[in-house]
Amino acid sequence: MRVIGLTGGIGCGKSLAAQYFSELGALVIDADQLARAAIERGSQGFDEAVSIFGDSILNNGDIDRKALGEIIFKNQVAKKKLEGIVHPYVRRQFEEAVASLKADETLIYEIPLLVETGAQDRFDLVITVESDLENRISRLRQRGMHISEIEARIAAQATREQRVEIADFLIENDGTEDELLRQVENIWDSLHDN
């Protein structure tokens, strides 16, 4: 049983690396997906978020993540309130997944803010996916993000150096998808040679 944190800056290619690990046999959990589930319509977190932030965060009965994001990105108190709803749910889901692992299984936990939350001690190993700034910006522009939003997101995250410092494995994602896959396979093989 091995629990591995997979991190990297926005636009570095974490999700594609996570997909490749999943195809190789890892159980992959995405912290961002858990955070979204924590406030989905019908959940206790949804009710709490609406009671704290009001109906202005709703769009067709669902939480408008962009509207909510704009509120919490500018207001630390609001951010802490949202984290108070989301983080306990995410932590519970993570702990349940770890508890259900069988002896020969590997869990890859995709967690963008691993360094920022000081979570590295929760993992047996940490892998970071890194990429040149120009490549990151290009990928994020293709997702429809504006340059000001990209710059703000990157500035709010830990630096490459901070992520690399705590990582056991570094994936450089500045080439093709096949090159990324080869790096993932090499790490997977080294994890299972022991």
Side-chain angles (χ1 to χ4, degrees):
M1 179 176 102
R2 197 177 263 128
V3 181
I4 299 171
L6 177 66
T7 195
I10 187 169
C12 283
K14 283 181 307 299
S15 295
L16 186 54
Q19 178 187 321
Y20 290 153
F21 277 113
S22 176
E23 290 168 5
L24 291 169
L27 169 64
V28 175
I29 297 176
D30 180 348
D32 283 347
Q33 284 181 346
L34 292 181
R36 286 190 285 277
I39 57 171
E40 279 180 355
R41 186 174 8 181
S43 70
Q44 179 183 338
F46 175 92
D47 296 340
E48 289 177 38
V50 173
S51 76
I52 291 170
F53 298 105
D55 290 346
S56 67
I57 65 166
L58 293 178
N59 184 0
N60 293 325
D62 290 315
I63 290 179
D64 180 339
R65 294 183 193 292
K66 193 168 177 82
L68 182 57
E70 287 171 11
I71 292 169
I72 65 158
F73 200 72
K74 298 173 187 157
N75 183 327
Q76 283 300 309
V77 173
K79 184 174 184 245
K80 291 281 184 220
K81 287 180 180 175
L82 182 62
E83 288 172 350
I85 297 169
V86 172
H87 288 182
Y89 174 88
V90 170
R91 194 168 19 259
R92 241 185 350 267
Q93 296 299 312
F94 171 75
E95 289 167 359
E96 286 175 15
V98 170
S100 71
L101 279 180
K102 296 178 178 63
D104 61 342
E105 289 184 312
T106 299
L107 169 66
I108 302 275
Y109 192 64
E110 186 182 344
I111 176 171
L113 303 179
L114 187 145
V115 172
E116 296 83 340
T117 57
Q120 58 266 30
D121 295 340
R122 294 166 53 191
F123 302 100
D124 300 317
L125 296 166
V126 172
I127 300 167
T128 187
V129 182
E130 298 298 333
S131 188
D132 288 339
L133 186 58
E134 301 78 38
N135 289 333
R136 295 171 67 187
I137 291 171
S138 173
R139 289 177 191 133
L140 295 169
R141 294 294 303 241
Q142 288 173 7
R143 286 193 215 164
M145 291 177 72
H146 298 290
I147 193 70
S148 59
E149 185 182 5
I150 293 168
E151 289 171 349
R153 293 279 186 92
I154 289 174
Q157 290 188 330
T159 64
R160 171 193 173 94
E161 292 73 26
Q162 290 170 315
R163 289 187 296 267
V164 168
E165 186 178 317
I166 60 129
D168 298 284
F169 293 97
L170 167 63
I171 294 173
E172 293 283 4
N173 185 25
D174 290 310
T176 65
E177 290 184 1
D178 279 346
E179 289 169 330
L180 175 61
L181 175 58
R182 274 199 295 282
Q183 290 181 77
V184 168
E185 288 172 335
N186 289 340
I187 291 172
W188 186 255
D189 290 344
S190 72
L191 292 174
H192 293 87
D193 285 347
N194 301 340

